[in-house]
Amino acid sequence: MSTTRLTGDALRVTIFIGEHDTYHHKPLYSEIVHRAHAAGLAGASVFRGIEGFGASSRVHTARLLSLNEELPVAIVIVDTGERVRAFLPQLDELVESGLVILDECQVIRYAGRHSGGRSGRRSGKEKQA
């Protein structure tokens, strides 16, 4: 199955970590995304939280004026159940402190329906005929 045509039954893995978590001096979220890409998974995205708490029970928030605040980060990866489960040992290696959630889901993929750009509208920079 081609990873670019995922539609139908899928498995979503969501990994919750702190934004300052690292792996070999690199952001942990970046390492996870790059490994998911190298594994050929269908997609991965990183979302930075604006507020949250975890095992420490300490609330972290972007509203406080602190550059050192450890905000939550969620990495979401979606692919077939078989491919996601094959990727889980890499998460075991990478995630020392965090939460990993698996959800069965349905994927509906929209792509390439419009010619000439995302909305089919001119950008203003294009020369009109």
Side-chain angles (χ1 to χ4, degrees):
M1 179 170 137
S2 170
T3 59
T4 59
R5 295 187 184 167
L6 179 64
T7 299
D9 292 338
L11 191 62
R12 174 179 54 209
V13 58
T14 306
I15 304 112
F16 293 96
I17 59 173
E19 71 176 328
H20 296 303
D21 291 350
T22 60
Y23 181 81
H24 293 259
H25 309 291
K26 284 178 27 180
L28 178 57
Y29 59 81
S30 180
E31 182 69 18
I32 292 170
V33 168
H34 283 87
R35 285 195 185 196
H37 184 259
L41 296 176
S45 296
V46 178
F47 301 94
R48 184 174 186 240
I50 58 171
E51 191 166 58
F53 71 93
S56 72
S57 294
R58 182 170 173 247
V59 175
H60 303 278
T61 179
R63 291 182 286 150
L64 298 174
L65 298 176
S66 172
L67 297 177
N68 294 325
E69 192 64 47
E70 176 79 5
L71 293 173
V73 172
I75 304 108
V76 179
I77 301 169
V78 177
D79 206 315
T80 65
E82 180 181 332
R83 294 174 69 100
V84 167
R85 289 185 193 285
F87 185 70
L88 292 178
Q90 292 198 53
L91 294 179
D92 288 342
E93 174 190 342
L94 295 170
V95 179
E96 291 182 13
S97 176
L99 180 67
V100 176
I101 298 173
L102 297 173
D103 297 301
E104 292 181 4
C105 61
Q106 293 286 311
V107 173
I108 302 170
R109 183 175 182 270
Y110 297 99
R113 297 188 309 160
H114 301 287
S115 61
R118 291 181 129 185
S119 65
R121 291 181 267 161
R122 294 177 192 263
S123 67
K125 293 182 180 179
E126 298 173 78
K127 186 176 179 182
Q128 294 195 10

